[in-house]
Amino acid sequence: MNGPSSDPRRSDPHTGEGTPNPPPGLVIAAALAIEARALERGLTGAGGTKVVRVGVRARHAMRVLPRDNNSLIVAGVGGGAGSQVRAGDIVVATEVRGPEGAIVRSPAAPLLAAALRALDLGPGVQVHLGPISTTDKLALGSRRRALAAEGVLAVDQESSWLGTLADQPFAVVRVIVDDERTGLYSPSTVPRGREALRTLTKLVPALERWGAAVQSHRRVVLASPRSFCAGVERAIEIVEEALERYGPPVYVRRQIVHNAYVVADLERRGAIFVEELDEVPDDAPVVLSAHGVAPAVREDAAHRGLTVVDATCPLVAKVHTEARRALRDGNTVVFIGHPNHDESEGLLGEDPDPANPRIRLVETPRQAKELEVEDPNRLAYLTQTTLAEDDAADIVAALRTTFPNIIEPPSSDICYATTNRQRAIRDIAAEVDVVLVVGSRNSSNSLRLVEVAQRAGAAAYLIDGPDEIDPAWLIGAASVGLTAGASAPPLLVDAVADALTGFGPVLREEPTGVEENLQFTLPPMPTLLTERRQAAGTSTAPTA
């Protein structure tokens, strides 16, 4: 596997010509001498990082800061402004708000926060991400509470001044000395300050890694298509419509789609996700996830009189139909898929006699070759919709070799969206240093994208969002490929692309890909059992 290149000569993305492209240096600015000394103690000597004391409010910063396009991190102690921020915690600024209304953004702040969270900072230390406010004088009492009400997490007296000077990547890190519970003027402030300075020293290696990830030019190549497919959009819309139709709470069996952001967003709006139907109250509406369910689940729901809305992806439902047809024709079904995946569990549930199984799961070519069945001439295979094409092809080849008469599905079971996304990232991965795949760890199609990119020669990583990117992945990487699994929202891709702009100028490219126009209709919203009973009682009531 090829990783990021350390060659300082890179092709200029604007001219295409080879030009010297050493990464800019990093300057860490501190207001106070004690802060500067704490930061200097943490330097590793890598990358020539400099610590510069700029003074309170940084009035003389222009005189002391190097003028050679260095990236800049402002680091030191600060005061906590939000109720969630405790003394000893760390705040990384997404933006710095100045006393005169100026706002300096830090797009790559989530990546710096991720690098800090990876450190061993001791028990209870939290890394927060949010706005920091720079004030003309100490913000205490009511002034700090007012800033907290505006969403500010920390206050200082110099970050804004320094941010307006920086035209290179910029970040701010504050270790909190006092919060709304402790106050600044307290006997415990001195020991808290000493502990904050010790924490500041521990942060420096992560700051250096962040600085080393900066590039003077970087290509970001976005795969097309990427993100949501028609089945995922349909499933999410079904939950949204159920919330509108029935009102919260609406229960959902298993994750509606395998994405942490989507699930959390629907939970905030009133969806309750459960593992099994026995967690659903009687007569509550329940949505079945996009991955499909075993017939026994539907039977259980019908027996209890639950109001069921089926969000099974039509392409998954197609595989279930093929399985029932093959079983009805007297065949044993070989299902190529991943054990314990919701889609596999649902399909295996179609087996009429699990004690003498007629649906057999295989995951590897070896398992296919070693498979034993009662009648090799009465055999059909089906596949999970989210498999990697190459992996599935290897297993199918092994099945055909072992069972020459095996029956194929009428058409490929691998979802069109899975195929399109894999082909798009395969083409991109061959020409970039690093691939970032946006998707959750339980998303099969997202995991397959990582594997496809790795086989194409790129270092590839799965992330739920920008705050999971390790800046070390980007050191020396002049080109980054970016895609998302079919269950990941487009807005997370945009957030990652925006974060990468915080590491220097970015040239975005989006090669033309397959255009996806498929749409699935939504199922009708059934009537709640109580509503059906009320209607029946009204219609049969005696008339006067």
Side-chain angles (χ1 to χ4, degrees):
M1 182 193 310
N2 296 328
S5 170
S6 59
D7 186 347
R9 296 188 63 86
R10 283 285 180 175
S11 293
D12 187 314
H14 300 285
T15 67
E17 299 176 357
T19 55
N21 186 22
L26 172 65
V27 170
I28 305 176
L32 305 176
I34 54 173
E35 294 172 326
R37 287 194 295 270
L39 291 163
E40 287 170 346
R41 284 193 293 271
L43 291 175
T44 66
T49 300
K50 304 171 185 174
V51 175
V52 176
R53 181 189 171 191
V54 293
V56 176
R57 288 195 60 185
R59 288 187 179 90
H60 306 296
M62 285 293 289
R63 301 179 189 174
V64 295
L65 286 176
R67 301 183 183 182
D68 49 3
N69 296 321
N70 294 282
S71 50
L72 177 65
I73 295 179
V74 183
V77 299
S83 60
Q84 70 272 45
V85 179
R86 302 289 184 95
D89 284 355
I90 299 160
V91 176
V92 179
T94 53
E95 64 182 32
V96 180
R97 301 174 184 177
E100 298 176 358
I103 295 178
V104 181
R105 293 184 63 244
S106 181
L111 283 72
L112 180 53
L116 294 174
R117 290 185 183 118
L119 298 174
D120 181 11
L121 297 173
V125 177
Q126 298 291 317
V127 178
H128 304 275
L129 196 61
I132 285 179
S133 180
T134 295
T135 57
D136 286 317
K137 55 185 178 180
L138 285 175
L140 301 171
S142 60
R143 175 56 179 151
R144 193 180 295 190
R145 288 193 292 272
L147 290 171
E150 296 171 3
V152 170
L153 298 187
V155 292
D156 66 23
Q157 289 187 266
E158 56 275 344
S159 294
S160 175
W161 312 107
L162 290 162
T164 57
L165 299 178
D167 56 4
Q168 293 296 313
F170 171 73
V172 180
V173 179
R174 292 294 176 192
V175 182
I176 303 304
V177 171
D178 63 296
D179 57 37
E180 66 177 20
R181 288 163 293 275
T182 61
L184 180 60
Y185 298 116
S186 162
S188 61
T189 297
V190 172
R192 288 199 310 269
R194 290 177 182 147
E195 184 59 34
L197 292 172
R198 283 192 286 269
T199 299
L200 201 58
T201 300
K202 296 178 184 178
L203 304 186
V204 176
L207 307 188
E208 290 179 312
R209 285 198 300 276
W210 186 90
V214 172
Q215 289 276 323
S216 57
H217 296 294
R218 178 174 277 129
R219 293 170 60 228
V220 175
V221 187
L222 290 93
S224 180
R226 61 184 178 272
S227 197
F228 281 167
C229 66
V232 166
E233 289 179 339
R234 174 181 181 270
I236 295 170
E237 287 178 22
I238 286 172
V239 178
E240 292 172 338
E241 186 167 324
L243 287 166
E244 179 71 22
R245 163 68 176 82
Y246 307 115
V250 167
Y251 290 81
V252 185
R253 183 185 180 273
R254 308 286 174 88
Q255 291 190 356
I256 185 67
V257 296
H258 286 158
N259 185 266
Y261 179 91
V262 170
V263 169
D265 180 59
L266 292 173
E267 283 179 329
R268 284 191 292 269
R269 295 154 71 177
I272 297 177
F273 292 86
V274 298
E275 281 298 302
E276 299 299 345
L277 293 185
D278 58 11
E279 302 173 61
V280 181
D282 291 339
D283 196 30
V286 60
V287 179
L288 304 181
S289 81
H291 308 103
V293 298
V297 174
R298 300 180 195 278
E299 293 166 5
D300 183 24
H303 177 73
R304 291 187 53 199
L306 297 176
T307 301
V308 174
V309 186
D310 191 355
T312 300
C313 173
L315 300 182
V316 174
K318 161 186 171 287
V319 182
H320 280 250
T321 299
E322 292 168 348
R324 291 192 294 269
R325 183 184 300 119
L327 292 168
R328 187 178 62 242
D329 293 343
N331 295 298
T332 294
V333 174
V334 180
F335 183 64
I336 304 171
H338 299 297
N340 303 318
H341 188 276
D342 286 343
E343 186 176 336
S344 297
E345 288 185 6
L347 195 284
L348 293 172
E350 295 285 355
D351 199 321
D353 186 9
N356 298 288
R358 290 176 55 202
I359 301 181
R360 311 288 290 278
L361 179 72
V362 298
E363 190 180 20
T364 65
R366 180 175 179 177
Q367 290 175 351
K369 292 175 183 177
E370 295 176 350
L371 183 66
E372 296 181 3
V373 295
E374 184 176 341
D375 186 351
N377 294 312
R378 304 295 296 273
L379 201 62
Y381 78 82
L382 303 170
T383 61
Q384 185 176 321
T385 62
T386 55
L387 296 183
E389 283 186 299
D390 295 343
D391 291 343
D394 291 342
I395 299 171
V396 169
L399 285 171
R400 286 173 176 159
T401 300
T402 309
F403 307 102
N405 296 324
I406 195 167
I407 299 170
E408 300 182 357
S411 59
S412 174
D413 291 330
I414 298 178
C415 165
Y416 77 96
T418 298
T419 300
N420 290 343
R421 282 151 186 73
Q422 289 176 9
R423 292 176 180 175
I425 199 58
R426 182 186 297 117
D427 294 340
I428 288 172
E431 62 173 70
V432 299
D433 297 318
V434 175
V435 167
L436 301 176
V437 177
V438 181
S440 293
R441 284 161 181 77
N442 62 339
S443 167
S444 177
N445 72 86
S446 299
L447 289 167
R448 303 293 83 75
L449 289 172
V450 173
E451 294 168 358
V452 168
Q454 289 172 339
R455 282 197 289 266
Y461 305 95
L462 182 67
I463 55 172
D464 257 318
D467 58 348
E468 292 192 354
I469 300 173
D470 185 341
W473 300 342
L474 303 175
I475 296 174
S479 54
V480 177
L482 180 56
T483 189
S487 51
L491 62 87
L492 293 181
V493 178
D494 294 338
V496 171
D498 183 55
L500 294 176
T501 66
F503 282 121
V506 163
L507 176 66
R508 288 180 56 148
E509 301 176 10
E510 186 169 353
T512 302
V514 176
E515 186 174 351
E516 295 177 346
N517 298 313
L518 185 63
Q519 290 184 320
F520 296 127
T521 58
L522 303 187
M525 294 287 134
T527 304
L528 287 170
L529 179 60
T530 52
E531 294 176 356
R532 296 197 297 271
R533 287 172 175 166
Q534 290 169 358
T538 301
S539 63
T540 58
T543 58

